[in-house]
Amino acid sequence: MYAQLVETGVKRVKDLEEMTPEERAFQERIDAEIKIEPKNWMPDAYRQTLIRQISQHAHSEIVGMLPEGNWVTRAPTLKRKLQLMAKIQDEAGHGMYLYSAMETLGADRDAEIDKLHSGKAKYSSIFNYPTLNWADMGAVGWLVDGAAIVNQVVLQRTSYGPYSRAMIRICKEESFHQRQGYEILLTMMRHGNQAQKDMVQDAINRLWWPALMMFGPSDADSPNSAQSMAWKIKRMSNDDLRQRFIDQTVPQLEFLGCTAPDPDLKWNEERGHYDFGQIQWQEFYDVLKGNGPCNRERVSTRRKALEDGQWVREAAVAHAAKRQQKQNAA
Amino acid sequence: MPDNKNDLIEYLLRLGDNALINGQRLCEWCGRAPALEEEMALMNVGLDLVGQARNWYEYAAELLADGRDADQLAFRRDERAFRNTLLVEQPNGDYAVTTAKLFLFDAWHLHTLQALTASSDARIAGIAAKGLKEVTYHLRRSGEWVERLGDGTEQSRQRMLAGIDEVWRFTNDLLSSDEIQQRLAAAGIAADATAVAAAWQASVEQVFERASLPVPPPASYFYLDGKRGLHTEHLGILLAEMQFLQRAYPDATW
C-alpha cells in the first residue's frame, strides 16, 4: 500500500437519513458503482481524503526512486542496470500521473510537494528503510511492488474515476516490475554462490515486516477506514489485503528456497489462510512519524533536489515567456 | 576475420565506453533532478545510452572471441583500458554543467552515428541506425536546455556560461582522431573525424546563437586522451563504484 494511513476527518459514518439531499445523491451514486468525476459534486471531506491519499501515493512513487537510485550506479550487469533504469523511469511517470489525478480535485502539485518536504505529508513507510545489498533490488521489486499491486488491483475499482484510471495504467507496469524483482532473487538463489544466497535471505529478513506494514494499521486501529469504505475509496480492509498478500507470497517465498523472519508463520487449514506473527506497531508509527532509519535522508534529498533546481525551473519559465513575447511581436 | 580486426575492436570499445560512461553519470541524477519531468528524461536518455553500449560491446566481444562477454567488457576493464572521451567522465556538477556535457556530446554523437549508418560494416550500420533515432531525441532535448538556460534568467545565463567553460576544454579530445580511426574511415567503416568535427561545429554554433551564447575558440590538446586510455582522475572512482559487485564476486551470476 502506498498510502497507508489517510485521515478522513470524519468521526462517524452518516446513514442516508442523516444526509443532505446532495450528500444522499452522492452516496447513492457511489452505491450504484458510478464513478465520481472531477466536475461532479462531492462532499468536501471526500475531496480532502482523496487529495491526501493520492498525493501520499504520488509522493511514495517519487521518494521510492531513492532506495533504487542507491544501487542503479552499482547494478552488476548491463541487463540489470537497464531494468532498474527503466523501472525508475516508470516510477517518475507514475508520480506525474498521480499528481495529475490529484490536481483534478483542485489541489496544487507544488503545494502538496511542499507539505512532503516540511514533513506534513506522508509517503509509504517502506521507503524509509535502507537498501544495503544488491538483493534488495530484487526484494523491493518482489515484496514492495508486490504489496503495492495487491492494494492497487483493488484500487482499480475505487470510486473516483481519475484515480481508478491511474491505477489501471500503473498496475500493468508494477506487475512487470514485480516479476523482474522476483527473477533477480530467483537467479541469485538458483545460480548464485553462497554469498549471493545470503544476500537474498538477508534482504528478505530486513524487508519482510516493513512490506507487511505497507497495508497500514490493523482494522481495529484504523478509525478512518469505515468512511473510506463507505465512499468506496477503499474497497478492502487493511487486514484483508495484508492476508491476501501473505497468502500469495508465502508459496513464492518457498519456491525461492528462503524463509520468512516469522516463527509464527504457518498454514491454517481451518481458516484456509496463513497465520502470521505480531507486527511491531510501535516501529510502524515511529517510521510514519519520521523516526525511521532513512526518513531524514529521504526528505532532505528531495528537498535539496527542489532547492538546487529552483534556478533551472525559473530559467525555463523566463525563457518560455521570452519566446512567447517574440512570437507575439512577430 | 578482417585484417583490421584490432582496429575495429578498439573503435567499438570507444563507441561503447562513451555511451556507458555517459549513462552512468546520468544514473547519478536519480532522485536529484530539478523537476519530475527531468527525472524521467535523464533516466530515459541514460537507458538509451546503456542499451547502445551493450550493442557495441556485444559486437566487440564477438570479434575478440576471447571468452569475454559484454558485461565483462563493461565491468572488468580498468581505467587504462577504457576508451571513452574525457568529456563524458566529468562530474555532473550543477544542471548547467550536465547540460553542457550532454549537449556537446549529443551533437558529436548524432553526427557520428549519422555517418556510421553508411558504414561498410553492416553490423555497425545497423547499430548506428537504431541509436540514431534515440540520439536525435537526445540532441533536441539537450539543445533546448542550452537555449532555456542560456536565454532564461541572468543567473541561468551565468551558470550556463560557467558550465560550458567547465567542460569546453574536453572537446579537443572529443573531436580529435588517430591512426586507428583514420584507417577505418579510409576503409569506409568508421566516421570521418574531420567531417564530424565540422558538422559538430555547425550544430554548436546554431544552438549557441539561438541561446545568445558566445562560441569559445577551439579547445587545445592537453596531453590526456581518452581514446588511448589516458583519463582524468574522475574515471577511476566512477569505475570503482560501477564495477564493485563484479569485482567483489567474480564468479557470480546476476
Side-chain angles (χ1 to χ4, degrees), chain A residues 62 65-66 69 71-82 85-86 88-89 92-93 95-96 99 109 134 187-188 191-193 195-196 199 301-302 305 309 311-316 318-319 322-323 326, chain B residues 20 23-24 27-28 30-37 39-40 43-44 46-47 50-51 54 57 70-71 74-75 94-96 145 147-149 151-153 155-156 159 241-242 244-246 249 251-254:
Chain A
I62 302 308
M65 292 164 65
L66 297 172
W71 280 93
V72 69
T73 54
R74 289 179 286 169
T77 67
L78 293 167
K79 175 180 153 189
R80 295 301 182 205
K81 200 178 194 73
L82 288 164
M85 293 171 87
I88 291 167
Q89 194 192 337
M96 283 167 55
Y99 282 126
R109 182 181 307 217
W134 170 253
T187 303
M188 290 172 79
H191 308 289
N193 58 33
Q196 289 177 290
M199 282 181 207
T301 301
R302 290 305 305 155
W311 69 272
V312 179
R313 297 190 301 277
E314 284 168 1
H319 179 74
K322 282 186 191 177
R323 183 173 279 197
K326 270 183 211 160
Chain B
L20 179 64
Q24 174 73 4
C27 287
E28 295 173 9
C30 176
R32 291 158 178 81
L36 284 185
E37 290 79 358
E39 294 283 356
M40 257 186 104
M43 211 43 77
N44 191 333
L47 188 62
V50 177
R54 183 164 68 169
Y57 289 149
D71 282 327
F75 295 100
D94 68 5
Y95 215 59
W145 271 109
E147 211 179 317
R148 279 189 204 105
L149 298 181
D151 187 27
T153 63
Q155 187 194 11
S156 72
R159 283 191 186 239
E241 179 176 342
M242 187 178 79
F244 148 70
L245 279 168
Q246 284 269 352
Y249 306 97
D251 65 334
T253 303
W254 303 97

Side-chain angles (χ1 to χ4, degrees), chain A residues 11 29 43 107 111 157 170 200 207 213 222 245 262 281 284:
Chain A
K11 295 245 172 3
R29 189 181 163 114
R157 294 188 295 119
I170 290 173
V200 174
L207 289 167
M213 291 177 196
S222 194
F245 173 70
D262 179 0
W281 291 114
F284 170 75

Side-chain angles (χ1 to χ4, degrees), chain A residues 117-190:
Chain A
H117 293 174
S118 65
K120 264 186 247 157
K122 293 181 176 63
Y123 54 90
S124 181
S125 58
I126 191 76
F127 301 120
N128 293 309
Y129 290 86
T131 50
L132 300 178
N133 74 41
W134 170 253
D136 286 29
M137 293 304 100
V140 165
W142 172 49
L143 292 175
V144 175
D145 292 5
I149 292 164
V150 165
N151 179 55
Q152 288 169 181
V153 161
V154 187
L155 281 177
Q156 293 181 92
R157 294 188 295 119
T158 196
S159 60
Y160 187 56
Y163 193 27
S164 156
R165 290 189 286 274
M167 285 301 104
I168 291 167
R169 275 177 66 158
I170 290 173
C171 269
K172 288 180 190 148
E173 292 182 344
E174 295 282 14
S175 311
F176 188 62
H177 299 164
Q178 193 209 10
R179 284 202 299 276
Q180 268 179 354
Y182 192 67
E183 197 256 333
I184 287 175
L185 300 182
L186 202 57
T187 303
M188 290 172 79
M189 291 305 293
R190 290 280 158 88

Side-chain angles (χ1 to χ4, degrees), chain A residues 246-261:
Chain A
I246 289 172
D247 289 347
Q248 76 179 41
T249 303
V250 172
Q252 296 165 6
L253 179 75
E254 286 168 353
F255 189 73
L256 274 180
C258 292
T259 58

Side-chain angles (χ1 to χ4, degrees), chain A residues 176-232:
Chain A
F176 188 62
H177 299 164
Q178 193 209 10
R179 284 202 299 276
Q180 268 179 354
Y182 192 67
E183 197 256 333
I184 287 175
L185 300 182
L186 202 57
T187 303
M188 290 172 79
M189 291 305 293
R190 290 280 158 88
H191 308 289
N193 58 33
Q194 192 56 45
Q196 289 177 290
K197 290 176 186 170
D198 292 346
M199 282 181 207
V200 174
Q201 185 61 57
D202 176 55
I204 293 169
N205 290 348
R206 284 181 287 106
L207 289 167
W208 180 261
W209 290 106
L212 297 187
M213 291 177 196
M214 289 173 71
F215 295 95
S218 69
D219 295 345
D221 298 314
S222 194
N224 296 293
S225 286
Q227 182 63 73
S228 276
M229 297 278 272
W231 280 331
K232 299 193 178 179

Side-chain angles (χ1 to χ4, degrees), chain A residues 46-67:
Chain A
Y46 176 85
R47 186 185 298 277
Q48 295 310 323
T49 299
L50 271 170
I51 291 172
R52 276 190 286 269
Q53 175 156 340
I54 301 174
S55 66
Q56 214 179 104
H57 199 151
H59 298 336
S60 300
E61 296 282 358
I62 302 308
V63 176
M65 292 164 65
L66 297 172

